[in-house]
Amino acid sequence: MEQLIEKSRKKLEYEKVIAKLAEQTSFAISREKALALLPADSIHEVRERLAETDEARELLRLNPLFSIGGVRDIRDHLRMAEIGGILEPHALLDIADTCRAGRLTKNYFSELKGPFSRLAGLGRDISLLKTIESGVEKAIADDGEIRDEASERLSGIRRRQRIAGERIKSRLDDLIRNPLTAKLLMEPIVTMRDGRYVVPVKQECRPQLPGVVHDISASGASVFVEPMAVLELNNELQALAKEEAAEIQAILRGLTMMVSGFSAELSANLQRLAMIDFIIAKGKLSHLQDGSAVKISEDGPIRLRHARHPLLPAAKVVPIDVVIEREVAAIVVTGPNTGGKTVSLKTVGLLTLMALAGLHIPADAGSELRFFRSIYADIGDEQSIEQSLSTFSSHMSNIVRILEFADNRSLVLLDELGAGTDPAEGAALAQSILSDIASRGGKLVATTHYSELKAFAANRPDFINASVEFDVETLSPTYRLLIGVPGKSNAFEIGRRLGLPERIIGSAAECLSSQDAQVAELLANLEDLRREAAASAEEAAKERAELQQQLAEVGSARQKMAAEAAEVRREALEEAQKIINSTREKSRALYKEMQRQEQEKKNSDRAWQEAQRKLKSWQEQLEEELPPPVYAEGELTSIKVGDYVSLPRMKKSGYVLTEPDNGEVMLQIGLLNLKVAVKDLRPAAEAEPQEQEKKKRHNTMAMQKAKSISTELNLVGQDTLTAADMLEKYLDDAFVGGLKQVRIIHGKGSGALRNAVQEQLKKHRLVKEYRFGDYNEGGIGCTVVTLDS
């Protein structure tokens, strides 16, 4: 039975629709889901699938550009990680991309509002794997190269490689520029062979340049020599390359182990992303085919409104209406060859398969279909309907198998039933087959040329005739399906219009049996009645359209008047709102200004109080730290750095910090540094007070620091840990030495050292502020630091 059902799907070209669905997917796993899509086994599953497609179509209406991007098929990578293999950088990048796509998809559906319960549920179930995403991004660049920042050890190895490489190039450049050795070279260049730096030496000069030969040019005129001067450095570089390779393997092994630990979550995320992408693909296909949802019932009618075959060009396909009421078991379709009978048959079958698979069908809204467990088709042509080709042959063996399995949950489609044999026997056999299948309770659609089957269908209450329309005026089919109207051959009328003599037509009419003549006359009358009914319906539709247009114009006028009134009210409300908003903004601005002034007053009061507190504190410290000075008569005859002198006008004593400059020196009194005139100073005593010896030694050390400490610190070439220690010690020394502003040189480079330096400065207790250097100070290659007083 399964083979017969599969063969029927193939004859209905279901796999071509599925191929179109697969084209709308974004990656391999969702494409596999699309290609494996089959009709559902239960009506509940059909409805669930259709609901998914409804959500996807609505989502694409609101966000036409939505798609799941960046997901990769990482199943092989996960299997490799699970069995203990080491993943390559590109595989880890694929996994990181998939983690990122999962995170973005989860975030999107977490914020999505509306009737998207199924899609949102899948999105919420995605696991966030930021650890993998961040770990891979930190270690591997977009081009698959391992970053220096992947580990401290790798960063150190590569720094040593660069230094070694520069040393080698420097030595070889010296060799190239040396006149004594330059004449031995074929060209003044440095190149590489087998990972080692070499220079091209003339063949005849080879003995004059000691070294190791690594290669010979194609012409043999030059040899590539590794000079002895760089042999050890090249060996060092080779050793570093091995260390680098080993460290890279260690990094990849660590990342692989991390991936392996989240293998289950990654696999689950992959399936959820594939399912979301598959559902979105169903919505995209619906949009491309201008499809709509269809109502599925257990045993209801079949109603297809303006149904279109999904594989025919939209500009050429003629929509058909198909109605099979609940009590009708079968439709018998008649009409001329190439008139569209087979297309109509395939349209009914293929749209039913699409709906049962959970896809929207290319038909107008309001269409209905019944749930079928099996669809059997004997359509006989092996050609492609996309090429508008049909062949008609009877496959009785197929019908025998269909009769074996068809039941009340089957849709049976038979094309040109009974053709290919004696007409009388074929018609009788066809009637028997139709009766047998109809008695089983399923639905049947059959096409035929036999007039006997038209009469047979007309005499059975559970059968209905249908036909494809033929325009006698143009002698061409219209491809419209007419339900309830049996087809007529139109042979006599076509012959008459093509110029066949009337005597021949009359003689042919006499050859018809009375029964055939009656059937032909009945069909002609029915056709005339149908045309009259169609003309009346068209006229009524025209009048109804005119009336609706008039009503629409009246309604439009009313809406226009209402809109104008509403616009007047809206403009008045907007003007009032503008006034309110303006007043509110002015009030807010006034309130903020009052708050600002109040805050400034508070700040000013606090600043004054803080200044008074500091002055008092300094005064108390001076009184505690300095003993009463012993004044001496007369001005100072000489003065030098370190002297303990008195400043009578302040009644304080302190130490001289600088040599006289324009008659002034810098004097330290307790914690204060003052610039005073030498003429205002007096000797404090023959000898300093004993308790000041310790402070003098401290001041002497500070003055020595001030003389020895540099105003800049060069950290270029240091790693971040070494640089941090150097910077901490330097800032302490600069502060003790009394420096107010210093310059930290860290270079431009990758920015890692610069960022580490500024992060340390941001938190340092002695730093008041810092900035990048100006153009003449070194720009962003240095940071200028102002120290606290």
Side-chain angles (χ1 to χ4, degrees):
M1 181 177 73
E2 291 300 325
Q3 291 181 349
L4 182 60
I5 292 175
E6 183 178 352
K7 184 177 181 180
S8 297
R9 286 198 296 264
K10 185 175 181 181
K11 285 184 173 294
L12 292 170
E13 299 178 289
Y14 173 75
E15 74 280 358
K16 293 185 179 181
V17 173
I18 296 307
K20 287 181 175 290
L21 173 64
E23 291 174 1
Q24 306 306 316
T25 58
S26 300
F27 64 105
I29 303 179
S30 54
R31 188 173 302 111
E32 291 172 5
K33 287 183 178 293
L35 293 174
L37 181 64
L38 293 175
D41 294 330
S42 68
I43 190 170
H44 173 74
E45 186 178 355
V46 172
R47 289 169 177 167
E48 278 296 308
R49 292 183 183 183
L50 287 171
E52 292 172 352
T53 310
D54 292 343
E55 288 188 14
R57 182 68 186 272
E58 178 63 13
L59 178 63
L60 292 171
R61 185 186 69 82
L62 298 175
N63 186 2
L65 299 180
F66 176 84
S67 66
I68 300 229
V71 184
R72 307 287 185 262
D73 186 0
I74 59 174
R75 291 174 294 185
D76 289 342
H77 304 333
L78 295 180
R79 283 192 287 269
M80 173 68 76
E82 288 171 357
I83 64 176
I86 298 178
L87 295 177
E88 293 295 325
H90 72 86
L92 291 166
L93 287 174
D94 286 348
I95 292 172
D97 288 343
T98 302
C99 292
R100 186 183 306 106
R103 174 172 55 83
L104 296 176
T105 302
K106 182 182 181 72
N107 293 342
Y108 178 84
F109 283 109
S110 296
E111 300 172 1
L112 185 64
K113 306 297 182 184
F116 306 105
S117 59
R118 293 163 181 83
L119 285 170
L122 287 168
R124 284 193 300 269
D125 289 342
I126 293 173
S127 301
L128 287 178
L129 300 175
K130 187 66 176 174
T131 303
I132 295 177
E133 185 181 344
S134 302
V136 173
E137 287 179 354
K138 177 184 176 182
I140 305 175
D142 292 340
D143 59 359
E145 290 295 319
I146 306 300
R147 300 181 189 272
D148 291 357
E149 299 82 2
S151 74
E152 285 289 339
R153 186 167 185 271
L154 181 63
S155 178
I157 291 171
R158 288 183 172 173
R159 183 173 63 253
R160 288 155 57 198
Q161 282 179 320
R162 288 190 291 271
I163 294 172
E166 291 300 324
R167 290 171 63 191
I168 292 172
K169 289 180 180 179
S170 176
R171 291 192 182 182
L172 292 178
D173 286 342
D174 292 343
L175 185 147
I176 291 172
R177 288 193 294 268
N178 188 329
L180 297 177
T181 53
K183 63 184 180 181
L184 307 177
L185 304 180
M186 182 66 71
E187 292 181 83
I189 61 171
V190 177
T191 185
M192 294 192 77
R193 287 294 186 275
D194 299 327
R196 304 178 75 89
Y197 288 95
V198 296
V199 291
V201 179
K202 298 175 183 177
Q203 180 68 261
E204 62 274 13
C205 300
R206 164 68 189 89
Q208 302 177 45
L209 184 65
V212 178
V213 177
H214 285 279
D215 197 5
I216 301 176
S217 66
S219 64
S222 60
V223 292
F224 294 93
V225 177
E226 177 185 3
M228 295 300 295
V230 297
L231 186 63
E232 287 301 320
L233 288 175
N234 264 330
N235 289 339
E236 179 184 350
L237 200 59
Q238 288 287 307
L240 288 172
K242 292 180 180 179
E243 287 186 39
E244 179 191 28
E247 180 62 16
I248 287 175
Q249 283 298 102
I251 292 168
L252 295 178
R253 184 181 297 107
L255 292 172
T256 301
M257 290 177 65
M258 178 172 61
V259 168
S260 178
F262 290 100
S263 179
E265 290 84 351
L266 284 165
S267 297
N269 278 3
L270 199 59
Q271 292 302 319
R272 292 183 183 112
L273 289 168
M275 191 63 189
I276 292 173
D277 187 53
F278 166 64
I279 293 173
I280 295 300
K282 293 197 294 180
K284 291 179 180 179
L285 181 65
S286 172
H287 175 72
L288 287 176
Q289 295 182 342
D290 193 20
S292 63
V294 60
K295 178 182 177 183
I296 300 291
S297 62
E298 285 278 5
D299 56 358
I302 293 177
R303 294 195 179 101
L304 296 176
R305 305 179 185 278
H306 283 75
R308 303 169 297 280
H309 196 287
L311 300 178
L312 291 176
K316 295 181 179 181
V317 65
V318 178
I320 62 172
D321 292 321
V322 179
V323 179
I324 307 177
E325 297 295 350
R326 186 171 180 272
E327 64 276 6
V328 174
I331 289 184
V332 177
V333 183
T334 53
N337 289 339
T338 70
K341 298 191 302 300
T342 303
V343 173
S344 298
L345 195 69
K346 284 190 171 184
T347 300
V348 173
L350 186 52
L351 266 57
T352 302
L353 284 172
M354 289 176 63
L356 296 180
L359 302 176
H360 283 178
I361 63 173
D364 287 358
S367 295
E368 301 178 45
L369 285 170
R370 176 185 286 197
F371 173 72
F372 296 103
R373 293 191 184 279
S374 55
I375 298 176
Y376 302 110
D378 177 45
I379 300 181
D381 66 319
E382 301 297 334
Q383 302 292 331
S384 171
I385 195 171
E386 293 171 286
Q387 300 175 359
S388 299
L389 299 174
S390 295
T391 59
F392 303 92
S393 60
S394 175
H395 296 150
M396 192 56 63
S397 60
N398 285 341
I399 294 177
V400 170
R401 297 193 64 195
I402 290 173
L403 291 172
E404 182 181 354
F405 297 113
D407 57 18
N408 64 335
R409 287 296 181 189
S410 300
L411 172 64
V412 180
L413 307 170
L414 303 176
D415 190 28
E416 297 296 346
L417 180 59
T421 186
D422 178 76
E425 292 182 358
L429 190 58
Q431 292 178 35
S432 179
I433 293 171
L434 292 175
S435 296
D436 185 85
I437 294 175
S439 66
R440 303 185 186 200
K443 293 293 183 183
L444 169 66
V445 181
T447 66
T448 183
H449 280 299
Y450 293 135
S451 298
E452 292 87 345
L453 294 184
K454 304 174 190 177
F456 170 76
N459 291 326
R460 293 229 2 192
D462 56 344
F463 275 59
I464 187 171
N465 272 305
S467 62
V468 287
E469 188 178 44
F470 188 87
D471 191 340
V472 180
E473 298 294 332
T474 62
L475 301 181
S476 61
T478 65
Y479 301 106
R480 292 176 56 207
L481 182 66
L482 306 176
I483 302 295
V485 178
K488 53 184 296 188
S489 67
N490 295 306
F492 292 168
E493 188 63 29
I494 292 173
R496 181 177 290 110
R497 289 191 173 276
L498 291 176
L500 193 64
E502 193 64 38
R503 66 178 185 279
I504 296 178
I505 294 174
S507 176
E510 292 176 358
C511 294
L512 287 174
S513 66
S514 59
Q515 183 178 0
D516 291 338
Q518 290 174 358
V519 170
E521 184 178 358
L522 173 63
L523 292 177
N525 291 336
L526 286 173
E527 179 65 15
D528 292 340
L529 290 173
R530 187 196 64 79
R531 290 182 183 278
E532 291 176 4
S536 299
E538 184 177 352
E539 183 65 25
K542 183 178 180 182
E543 293 177 357
R544 184 167 58 253
E546 292 176 354
L547 179 59
Q548 289 175 346
Q549 183 179 359
Q550 293 174 2
L551 291 174
E553 290 174 356
V554 172
S556 177
R558 289 179 179 175
Q559 289 178 355
K560 184 177 181 182
M561 293 174 61
E564 290 175 352
E567 181 66 18
V568 171
R569 289 195 299 273
R570 185 187 64 78
E571 291 177 355
L573 289 172
E574 284 183 353
E575 187 63 29
Q577 189 64 43
K578 287 179 181 178
I579 296 172
I580 294 171
N581 291 342
S582 176
T583 304
R584 183 182 291 117
E585 289 298 322
K586 290 178 181 177
S587 299
R588 288 175 179 169
L590 181 60
Y591 178 69
K592 288 180 179 179
E593 180 63 21
M594 293 172 63
Q595 284 184 319
R596 186 185 64 79
Q597 293 178 0
E598 182 67 22
Q599 186 64 36
E600 287 180 354
K601 183 176 181 303
K602 291 180 180 179
N603 292 340
S604 178
D605 292 343
R606 281 198 296 268
W608 184 83
Q609 293 172 2
E610 180 66 15
Q612 291 296 316
R613 187 189 64 76
K614 285 185 177 180
L615 287 173
K616 184 178 180 181
S617 174
W618 291 340
Q619 182 177 356
E620 292 174 352
Q621 290 179 11
L622 286 172
E623 291 175 352
E624 293 175 358
E625 294 176 2
L626 295 177
V630 179
Y631 295 103
E633 293 295 328
E635 296 182 1
L636 296 170
T637 58
S638 64
I639 190 170
K640 62 180 181 297
V641 175
D643 285 351
Y644 186 70
V645 298
S646 172
L647 183 63
R649 62 184 174 82
M650 292 185 64
K651 298 181 180 181
K652 302 292 181 183
S653 296
Y655 293 95
V656 177
L657 298 180
T658 62
E659 296 294 337
D661 183 16
N662 293 328
E664 293 181 334
V665 296
M666 185 65 70
L667 187 66
Q668 182 180 22
I669 301 177
L671 298 178
L672 295 177
N673 292 345
L674 302 175
K675 181 176 284 189
V676 299
V678 175
K679 62 183 179 59
D680 293 335
L681 300 176
R682 296 291 183 273
E686 292 291 331
E688 302 171 22
Q690 194 67 28
E691 58 267 25
Q692 294 300 315
E693 285 298 327
K694 184 176 180 181
K695 184 168 288 294
K696 180 179 180 181
R697 287 195 300 271
H698 173 76
N699 290 339
T700 302
M701 181 181 69
M703 287 183 288
Q704 291 174 350
K705 282 287 184 183
K707 292 179 179 180
S708 63
I709 190 72
S710 172
T711 58
E712 66 180 30
L713 173 65
N714 191 343
L715 298 177
V716 174
Q718 304 296 331
D719 59 58
T720 54
L721 294 178
T722 304
D725 293 340
M726 293 174 64
L727 179 60
E728 182 69 27
K729 182 177 183 306
Y730 175 74
L731 291 175
D732 289 341
D733 291 345
F735 181 79
V736 171
L739 299 183
K740 300 300 181 183
Q741 192 176 79
V742 296
R743 190 165 70 115
I744 311 301
I745 303 173
H746 43 64
K748 300 177 182 178
S750 65
L753 183 59
R754 178 181 67 237
N755 295 337
V757 166
Q758 295 196 350
E759 187 66 26
Q760 186 173 354
L761 293 174
K762 185 188 301 182
K763 303 174 182 177
H764 204 281
R765 66 189 185 285
L766 299 179
V767 175
K768 181 178 181 181
E769 62 183 11
Y770 62 89
R771 59 176 173 81
F772 282 125
D774 292 333
Y775 177 76
N776 59 348
E777 293 176 321
I780 64 172
C782 73
T783 297
V784 178
V785 183
T786 301
L787 300 176
D788 273 334
S789 301

